Amino acid sequence: MHVEIDLSYPLLQSQEEKLLNEVLVEIARNAVRHSGAKSFFIAYENRDDGIELTIVDDGHGMPSPSRKNLGLMMIDHSLRLLNCTYRCSSTPEGTFYRIQIPFSIDRKSV
């Protein structure tokens, strides 16, 4: 499997970073275990109000992103705790996530 990851996004609070890393690990685990992906890509974009992550794999997709198993429920729950908005779409050509992570109100400047 070919993996491309750029994780040099700005520092987050430790709890935010822990939850975000758990989400990324679960998405990667799903791509490896269930989709038969040969390629996995994670990129980020800094925005004024937060970070936007784009995650793409080239596996055979999910039967239905709205049908949530335990791993997908963990992803959903963690992203809600982070006050994120996200979109997940899946086709027979792969799965796509776009996650928008707002900076915390009390975030210190780095």
Side-chain angles (χ1 to χ4, degrees):
M1 171 182 269
H2 174 77
V3 178
E4 269 185 65
I5 302 175
D6 179 356
L7 293 180
S8 58
Y9 48 78
L11 293 176
L12 301 172
Q13 293 181 5
S14 63
Q15 185 64 16
E16 291 174 333
E17 187 171 347
K18 181 178 184 278
L19 281 172
L20 180 57
N21 287 335
E22 288 174 4
V23 165
L24 294 176
V25 166
E26 185 60 32
I27 291 172
R29 183 179 294 133
N30 286 344
V32 170
R33 283 188 181 166
H34 304 298
S35 79
K38 302 263 187 283
S39 180
F40 184 79
F41 175 80
I42 300 176
Y44 80 95
E45 180 181 342
N46 283 316
R47 297 179 164 251
D48 291 337
D49 59 347
I51 302 165
E52 183 173 277
L53 290 174
T54 301
I55 305 156
V56 180
D57 74 50
D58 65 352
H60 55 71
M62 295 185 270
S64 168
S66 62
R67 195 176 121 219
K68 296 198 170 35
N69 62 25
L70 187 58
L72 294 176
M73 288 189 299
M74 186 283 295
I75 291 169
D76 183 69
H77 178 73
S78 296
L79 292 175
R80 288 178 189 274
L81 287 175
L82 289 168
N83 199 27
C84 294
T85 56
Y86 75 99
R87 183 169 53 99
C88 175
S89 60
S90 190
T91 68
E93 288 78 40
T95 301
F96 170 87
Y97 282 87
R98 172 144 303 137
I99 302 171
Q100 295 174 317
I101 306 151
F103 288 137
S104 298
I105 293 169
D106 60 350
R107 182 176 187 270
K108 296 181 173 60
S109 298
V110 225

